[in-house]
């Protein structure tokens, strides 16, 4: 108990030296989040993202590929309808949706769009600025052939899963090695005239059975050069965006908002993104072996220590080699 009192007294002294004379009220933070334009934090995040992507440009993500690979997905954050009426999702609840484009080298979020929870995932494809030569990995909720044809026109590549009941005509079957899980590799064309109007070109259909789970998957892509197994591996790497969502929600507490306005929500989300990318930058620039969760834990406990960060991390690691991992998620690269 005495150690806790000493720690609290030290924290109060540190806050006092920084100019804080009392506890910051929840309403004060809410007022700040309502009045300060969220674009301030958006612009800060863009600068940090550019810096982080340069640092992680040569990072491996499990697939040997020179091109940039993005994973696109969304996550929903539930809100109280009475407090967030502008974000009505269903008759009794509110929600916002985070549409995220993740550069898998890092992984680093490169685009985040915050919408009402009822916005369809596929509509976010209209907001993407497509990068020629890059790969975009998405689940089958993003299959809209009119929108997917934009990738072909832009010189970009999509990898997604086929929806059930897709009507196609087979133009060519390529030889496959079934010992590695690939069941078929076909060049196909849409069968229905209305569908052809939306996507008037051929594409590729790869069937794959996961050797570990036995699950049978069918992928669609407009890339004709990569091995069929690589297409399957690219889709498997999409799960890193799910890990990103879990990491942010568990470590950065964005499910509790200071303020109920649209501006307050966007402000707090973009601040969370800034923190995530800052920690990723620190990890790479200081060549730390710790995970992002461990680094964030060190920073949160020692937020007011006046000590170089590298020394602080080394000191903390030497004092306690076993970090609390209750809220950690395992990233292969982090």
């Amino acid at each position: 108990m005495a150690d806790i009192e000493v720690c609290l007294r030290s924290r109060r002294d540190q806050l006092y030296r920084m100019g804080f004379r009392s506890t910051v009220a929840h309403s004060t933070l809410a007022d700040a989040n309502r009045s300060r334009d969220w674009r301030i934090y958006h612009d800060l995040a863009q600068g940090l993202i550019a810096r982080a992507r340069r640092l992680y440009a040569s990072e491996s993500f499990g697939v040997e590929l020179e091109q940039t690979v993005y994973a696109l997905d969304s996550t929903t954050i539930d809100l109280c309808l009475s407090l967030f009426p502008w974000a009505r999702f269903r008759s009794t609840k509110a929600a916002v949706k985070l549409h995220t484009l993740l550069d898998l080298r890092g992984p680093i979020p490169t685009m985040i769009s915050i919408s009402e929870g009822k916005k369809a995932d596929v509509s976010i494809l209209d907001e993407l600025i497509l990068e020629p030569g890059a790969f975009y990995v998405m689940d089958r909720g993003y299959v809209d052939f009119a929108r997917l044809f934009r990738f072909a026109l832009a010189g970009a590549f999509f990898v997604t899963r086929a929806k059930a009941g897709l009507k196609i005509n087979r133009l060519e079957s390529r030889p496959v090695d079934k010992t590695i899980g690939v069941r078929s590799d076909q060049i196909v064309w849409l069968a229905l005239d209305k569908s052809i109007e939306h996507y008037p070109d051929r594409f590729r259909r790869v069937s794959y059975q996961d050797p570990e789970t036995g699950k049978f998957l069918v992928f669609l892509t407009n890339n004709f050069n990569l091995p069929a197994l690589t297409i399957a591996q690219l889709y498997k790497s999409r799960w890193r965006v799910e890990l990103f969502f879990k990491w942010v929600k568990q470590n950065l507490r964005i499910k509790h908002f200071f303020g109920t306005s649209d501006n307050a929500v966007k402000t707090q989300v973009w601040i969370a993104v800034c923190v995530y990318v800052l920690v990723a930058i620190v990890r790479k620039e200081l060549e730390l072996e710790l995970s992002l969760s461990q680094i964030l834990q060190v920073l949160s406990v020692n937020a007011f220590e006046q000590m170089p960060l590298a020394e602080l991390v080394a000191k903390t690691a030497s004092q306690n080699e076993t970090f609390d991992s209750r809220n950690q998620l395992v990233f292969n690269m982090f």
Side-chain angles (χ1 to χ4, degrees):
M1 182 66 69
D3 290 341
I4 295 176
E5 291 178 354
V6 170
C7 181
L8 291 175
R9 190 180 306 113
S10 175
R11 181 63 57 85
R12 285 195 297 267
D13 291 343
Q14 291 169 339
L15 288 171
Y16 189 86
R17 289 196 297 271
M18 294 176 66
F20 293 96
R21 298 297 181 262
S22 62
T23 303
V24 179
H26 185 288
S27 59
T28 301
L29 296 174
D31 290 341
N33 282 350
R34 184 183 65 251
S35 59
R36 291 198 183 97
D37 196 322
W38 64 270
R39 294 174 185 83
I40 297 172
Y41 307 100
H42 168 273
D43 292 348
L44 172 61
Q46 297 310 308
L48 294 173
I49 287 168
R51 180 174 171 180
R53 292 187 71 190
R54 288 193 296 270
L55 290 171
Y56 286 90
S58 60
E59 194 83 3
S60 173
F61 63 95
V63 181
E64 295 300 322
L65 202 64
E66 293 183 359
Q67 296 92 328
T68 303
V69 180
Y70 298 102
L72 178 65
D73 208 342
S74 71
T75 188
T76 301
I77 299 176
D78 294 331
L79 302 171
C80 176
L81 182 59
S82 62
L83 296 177
F84 300 85
W86 53 269
R88 178 180 292 275
F89 182 38
R90 297 195 179 100
S91 59
T92 59
K93 66 183 295 187
V96 292
K97 188 175 286 187
L98 269 61
H99 307 267
T100 302
L101 185 69
L102 199 73
D103 183 343
L104 293 184
R105 287 185 169 86
I108 304 297
T110 63
M111 187 278 286
I112 289 181
S113 179
I114 305 167
S115 71
E116 296 179 9
K118 60 186 178 183
K119 182 173 180 177
D121 286 351
V122 70
S123 63
I124 203 66
L125 294 179
D126 299 330
E127 299 182 25
L128 293 185
I129 300 175
L130 299 175
E131 179 183 325
F135 284 80
Y136 294 80
V137 186
M138 307 164 281
D139 67 22
R140 55 188 168 190
Y142 294 89
V143 174
D144 179 301
F145 284 106
R147 289 181 166 103
L148 291 179
F149 191 57
R150 289 184 55 236
F151 289 80
L153 295 176
F157 303 108
F158 63 82
V159 175
T160 186
R161 282 183 63 189
K163 289 184 177 181
L166 177 65
K167 304 298 183 182
I168 58 172
N169 289 322
R170 184 179 59 190
L171 302 177
E172 176 189 344
S173 291
R174 297 176 170 182
V176 298
D177 181 358
K178 293 188 177 182
T179 63
I180 58 176
V182 179
R183 290 293 174 261
S184 66
D185 185 1
Q186 303 169 340
I187 308 300
V188 299
W189 189 280
L190 291 172
L192 301 179
D193 291 341
K194 189 173 182 180
S195 298
I196 293 174
E197 291 178 5
H198 295 311
Y199 198 102
D201 201 353
R202 58 182 190 144
F203 55 94
R204 189 175 173 193
R205 180 182 183 272
V206 174
S207 300
Y208 176 77
Q209 187 172 26
D210 192 320
E212 297 178 0
T213 65
K215 189 173 183 179
F216 189 80
L217 304 169
V218 179
F219 306 115
L220 304 177
T221 181
N222 63 330
N223 181 276
F224 301 96
N225 298 321
L226 291 182
L229 181 60
T230 302
I231 297 298
Q233 291 171 335
L234 283 175
Y235 188 83
K236 187 175 183 179
S237 68
R238 186 190 68 84
W239 290 104
R240 292 179 179 236
V241 72
E242 300 287 351
L243 293 179
F244 167 75
F245 290 142
K246 290 179 182 179
W247 193 94
V248 169
K249 286 182 177 180
Q250 291 187 6
N251 290 278
L252 300 182
R253 310 302 186 206
I254 62 173
K255 299 186 79 171
H256 177 73
F257 289 98
F258 294 95
T260 59
S261 66
D262 173 80
N263 191 82
V265 170
K266 290 182 177 179
T267 292
Q268 198 158 329
V269 169
W270 278 108
I271 289 175
V273 173
C274 288
V275 172
Y276 174 90
V277 180
L278 272 171
V279 175
I281 290 172
V282 165
R283 183 182 184 276
K284 179 62 75 171
E285 290 192 342
L286 297 183
E287 299 180 349
L288 301 177
E289 297 297 328
L290 304 180
S291 70
L292 289 190
S293 298
Q294 292 170 331
I295 297 171
L296 190 63
Q297 182 182 343
V298 171
L299 295 177
S300 62
V301 172
N302 302 279
F304 301 103
E305 289 290 335
Q306 297 181 2
M307 182 184 299
L309 190 54
E311 293 181 21
L312 177 63
V313 172
K315 174 185 175 183
T316 307
S318 63
Q319 291 176 345
N320 183 10
E321 293 183 358
T322 305
F323 284 83
D324 182 0
S325 60
R326 287 172 296 176
N327 289 329
Q328 290 183 27
L329 287 165
V330 177
F331 286 79
N332 290 336
M333 72 296 292
F334 285 160

